[in-house]
Amino acid sequence: MTESAETAILKHLSTAADAVIEDTFPWAASIKVDHTAVVGAIKSLLVEAYVKSEDLSTSFYALTKEGESILQNGSQEMLVLKALVEAGKLSMPDLQTKVGKNVAKVGMGNAMKKKWIKKDGADLIPQKTLDEVSDDVQALLKKLSDANFAVDAIPEKEAKDLKKRKQLTLVTRKSYKVTRGDSYAPTRVKKAGDLTKEMLDSGAWKTTDFKDYNFLTLGEKVGGGYHHPLLKVRAEFRKILMEMGFSEMPTNKWVESSFWNFDSLFQPQSHPARDAHDTFFIKEPAATVSVPEECYER
């Protein structure tokens, strides 16, 4: 879709040196292309200076669902008055059943404020006939609709009241004015991003347009290594033991005697850890005489 929009833009600008797209939104509608695709194509063409663009901003009103309903069927107060004129009088539950709960709630308040209806005990009765009142809200919305919802179609105060009643919203649409850029051409030729072996072999690199390179830009930072999960666990255990008062023994002694491995820890002689399948024993030296004398007394 974006490529077809690019082609349409370049084709339109090729009709004359001073050709211009005054507003991309109605222009996109005229060629039956989604405006989002046109905007994407413009941004792509701007990168290589095929086009120049100027930001445009258009504000207009849009109806809410409630506003659309009023434009078609009339305001809540008018619907309430119609129901009461037809029935003569209605209780609030009956009115809600006839016109709907939300319409009854909003319409009753507005109609009473305008003195179209009044309470008669538990009932509501009309004070005006339909010929004696006019639906100003519906008339305002119709006026807006006939003027294509232009901002200046109705006074600001009345628009503010409609927005307060949540029947109207102000929409701001972004679009662009487009003209030829410094590198304009009727057909876009995309620049190559890489120098390939095939280009070197054929010599095509001599006539190929390449994208600009920024040789001063910095590459992404190379991250450092990470500790293995088991090393993290070991470090955590070490920290706990050190905080409990233990001290580390020299780690340059890879072979230790059974005395320090088992006897000093009061392990029984029959403990399975002393078996050959759990402990490696060496032949030379077969015994040790490095046990301190005071340890025998303990």
Side-chain angles (χ1 to χ4, degrees):
M1 182 65 77
T2 301
E3 289 183 2
S4 62
E6 280 184 6
T7 303
I9 292 169
L10 295 176
K11 183 179 179 181
H12 181 91
L13 296 178
S14 69
T15 55
D18 58 349
V20 61
I21 299 174
E22 292 290 348
D23 190 333
T24 53
F25 192 84
W27 182 80
S30 68
I31 63 170
K32 299 180 180 179
V33 175
D34 184 63
H35 186 247
T36 305
V38 172
V39 172
I42 291 169
K43 290 182 177 180
S44 178
L45 292 169
L46 282 170
V47 174
E48 297 177 4
Y50 276 83
V51 298
K52 292 179 182 178
S53 69
E54 179 183 332
D55 293 347
L56 300 177
S57 179
T58 305
S59 296
F60 56 92
Y61 290 119
L63 295 181
T64 63
K65 287 186 177 180
E66 183 178 323
E68 291 175 355
S69 176
I70 291 174
L71 180 62
Q72 185 174 357
N73 305 314
S75 64
Q76 295 96 329
E77 51 265 38
M78 182 59 74
L79 294 176
V80 167
L81 180 60
K82 284 180 180 179
L84 291 177
V85 168
E86 289 174 3
K89 65 178 181 178
L90 289 171
S91 64
M92 190 60 183
D94 291 338
L95 180 63
Q96 290 177 346
T97 302
K98 192 171 183 65
V99 299
K101 189 174 181 179
N102 291 332
V103 172
K105 180 180 178 182
V106 176
M108 184 191 74
N110 291 331
M112 291 186 71
K113 191 183 296 182
K114 293 179 179 181
K115 297 183 179 180
W116 290 0
I117 65 173
K118 68 177 183 179
K119 280 190 175 182
D120 183 18
D123 296 328
L124 295 167
I125 61 174
Q127 285 187 285
K128 300 282 185 180
T129 64
L130 296 178
D131 295 333
E132 294 176 316
V133 300
S134 61
D135 196 342
D136 296 335
V137 177
Q138 186 185 41
L140 275 176
L141 295 181
K142 189 175 186 311
K143 185 178 179 181
L144 266 177
S145 178
D146 293 340
N148 292 322
F149 299 99
V151 174
D152 57 354
I154 60 174
E156 185 177 350
K157 181 181 180 302
E158 293 177 344
K160 187 176 180 181
D161 292 339
L162 292 175
K163 286 190 283 186
K164 189 175 181 181
R165 290 183 63 168
K166 297 181 180 180
Q167 296 163 2
L168 200 66
T169 58
L170 182 64
V171 178
T172 300
R173 183 182 67 216
K174 301 293 184 181
S175 56
Y176 298 91
K177 177 180 179 181
V178 183
T179 56
R180 289 186 179 188
D182 296 333
S183 301
Y184 171 77
T187 304
R188 183 178 188 180
V189 179
K190 292 192 177 181
K191 294 182 179 180
D194 297 303
L195 179 65
T196 63
K197 178 180 180 298
E198 290 74 18
M199 290 181 184
L200 293 173
D201 291 341
S202 64
W205 63 272
K206 297 177 183 179
T207 56
T208 300
D209 286 334
F210 290 93
K211 292 181 180 178
D212 294 332
Y213 284 88
N214 183 1
F215 294 101
L216 299 178
T217 189
L218 298 176
E220 291 189 13
K221 292 183 179 180
V222 179
Y226 298 91
H227 287 294
H228 191 279
L230 292 179
L231 290 179
K232 290 182 179 180
V233 173
R234 188 179 75 175
E236 186 66 22
F237 286 160
R238 175 182 176 275
K239 179 182 177 183
I240 293 171
L241 292 170
M242 295 287 283
E243 289 175 350
M244 290 174 66
F246 287 90
S247 59
E248 288 185 311
M249 297 175 62
T251 56
N252 59 345
K253 297 179 68 175
W254 302 107
V255 179
E256 190 55 89
S257 67
S258 295
F259 175 81
W260 291 116
N261 276 337
F262 303 121
D263 298 332
S264 62
L265 299 176
F266 302 102
Q267 272 195 3
Q269 292 294 324
S270 60
H271 195 282
R274 291 178 180 263
D275 293 341
H277 55 72
D278 280 336
T279 302
F280 294 100
F281 294 95
I282 59 175
K283 293 181 179 180
E284 294 293 338
T288 180
V289 291
S290 62
V291 180
E293 291 292 332
E294 63 268 17
C295 290
Y296 289 108
E297 297 176 0
R298 296 179 187 177

